[in-house]
Amino acid sequence: MKTFAESELIINEDGSVFHLHVRPEQLADKVILVGDPGRVNLVASHFETQECNIESREFHTITGTYKGKRITAMSTGIGCDNIDIVVNELDALANIDFKTRTEKPQHRTLELVRIGTCGGLQLNTPVGTYINSRKSIGFDGLLNFYAGRNEVCDLQFEQAFKEHMQWNPLLSAPYVIDADEELSERISGKEMVKGVTIACGGFFGPQGRELRIPLADPHQNEKVVKFEYEGWKITNFEMESSALAGLAKLMGHRATTCCMVIANRLVGEANTGYKGSIDGLIQMVLDRI
């Protein structure tokens, strides 16, 4: 039986996992992930009860009940590197015995739904559109550090994308991962666009935004918008969906991402006053998770 060393799984003195500061008994099977720590309060404002409220760095966690369902709302901060921390520590809370530091004999499966914001890339994704990331293309390279990556990724889609983009070998190899099908169907319903999301390793250059530093490929976004494979077109940019879907699949959890478009890169429009309107997406996910 594999034992996890103190240096690999760091457990705080109060029995909580290192970064999140959450204890195993404080984690629900249904987890809503948001980027902004402040948005956790917005999610939890719909709860009938709250059993814990924990803040540690950018990680804010509230577990409570909504219409009889026990749900954990948690912030991840921005980026796939933070998703690596969050999903690994959530899996540890669910599937590792913290007293013996060994894997539990029975696997516990979590439902992980990310609610976020994104930039739309097609005419059918104007500001205010809800997009469910059925497929994610990871520009971040995170999943390439884990064994089993090829077994869970869509390798033919990857190859077609790299050829279309004339992929620069200096960049991390992109990976293409599907969200959990049943969870995605249940959460998205008929109200969300079923899309392909690129998760980028940054907000500016990786998403084709140019300020004072010229881009290595000034035509990147033009090529992204024109890409099509087996009827799929790329619908939006964000920064977390690929790592969430990929790690969840490798660990045996179920995950999907739902985003509200707050900027459309194709037509150059943006809405900076979106914080109130995202509550509609939050309530939709709460009802369906």
Side-chain angles (χ1 to χ4, degrees):
M1 183 180 294
K2 186 176 181 181
T3 300
F4 303 95
E6 291 184 12
S7 61
E8 308 307 292
L9 173 62
I10 304 175
I11 300 173
N12 299 313
E13 290 183 0
D14 64 356
S16 65
V17 71
F18 184 57
H19 295 93
L20 302 182
H21 276 263
V22 174
R23 298 194 305 273
E25 68 272 15
Q26 295 172 321
L27 176 65
D29 290 340
K30 299 176 182 291
V31 183
I32 292 177
L33 300 173
V34 295
D36 182 357
R39 200 173 295 155
V40 172
N41 288 325
L42 181 58
V43 176
S45 69
H46 299 282
F47 290 176
E48 292 101 21
T49 64
Q50 293 185 20
E51 60 187 76
C52 67
N53 191 329
I54 304 159
E55 294 185 63
S56 172
R57 306 185 193 189
E58 60 265 63
F59 310 114
H60 182 194
T61 304
I62 298 176
T63 295
T65 56
Y66 175 81
K67 295 184 178 179
K69 296 180 288 189
R70 187 169 183 252
I71 297 172
T72 294
M74 177 179 291
S75 62
T76 65
I78 297 174
C80 286
D81 51 345
N82 277 16
I83 294 294
D84 185 59
I85 292 171
V86 169
V87 177
N88 271 286
E89 292 197 355
L90 287 176
D91 180 70
L93 288 166
N95 291 302
I96 295 176
D97 186 320
F98 277 26
K99 293 181 179 178
T100 64
R101 292 183 167 275
T102 58
E103 188 171 350
K104 293 178 180 178
Q106 186 170 350
H107 182 270
R108 178 183 173 190
T109 302
L110 303 175
E111 283 190 354
L112 309 170
V113 180
R114 169 173 140 68
I115 301 174
T117 57
C118 67
L121 292 170
Q122 301 293 341
L123 291 176
N124 71 327
T125 59
V127 168
T129 302
Y130 297 160
I131 299 177
N132 178 235
S133 305
R134 294 305 177 94
K135 288 181 175 288
S136 293
I137 304 175
F139 278 12
D140 55 283
L142 178 70
L143 214 65
N144 301 331
F145 288 89
Y146 290 90
R149 170 249 197 258
N150 283 358
E151 285 69 34
V152 299
C153 289
D154 188 335
L155 301 182
Q156 292 182 327
F157 195 118
E158 284 179 17
Q159 187 59 35
F161 180 75
K162 286 190 290 185
E163 290 175 1
H164 172 81
M165 295 293 294
Q166 298 175 304
W167 195 255
N168 185 343
L170 292 175
L171 302 176
S172 298
Y175 59 94
V176 178
I177 188 82
D178 291 340
D180 183 83
E181 185 175 358
E182 188 281 328
L183 182 61
S184 296
E185 284 287 345
R186 176 168 24 111
I187 297 294
S188 64
K190 297 179 180 178
E191 292 84 0
M192 300 186 195
V193 172
K194 300 174 183 178
V196 179
T197 299
I198 292 179
C200 298
F203 183 77
F204 289 95
Q207 296 188 31
R209 286 186 173 92
E210 182 177 328
L211 297 183
R212 293 186 59 245
I213 305 174
L215 299 173
D217 182 0
H219 302 291
Q220 171 189 288
N221 285 12
E222 296 172 33
K223 291 185 282 188
V224 165
V225 169
K226 292 177 181 177
F227 176 74
E228 185 172 354
Y229 179 76
E230 293 188 347
W232 290 102
K233 288 187 176 182
I234 297 169
T235 50
N236 58 319
F237 277 140
E238 54 88 79
M239 298 177 65
E240 291 87 15
S241 63
S242 59
L244 175 61
L247 290 174
K249 190 158 285 191
L250 287 174
M251 295 173 182
H253 301 298
R254 305 169 66 204
T256 193
T257 292
C258 304
C259 286
M260 185 179 75
V261 177
I262 62 168
N264 187 288
R265 305 294 301 284
L266 194 63
V267 298
E269 63 179 3
N271 171 25
T272 57
Y274 65 86
K275 295 196 179 219
S277 56
I278 200 169
D279 195 42
L281 179 56
I282 289 171
Q283 290 186 65
M284 190 179 293
V285 171
L286 282 168
D287 285 333
R288 296 173 180 177
I289 193 172

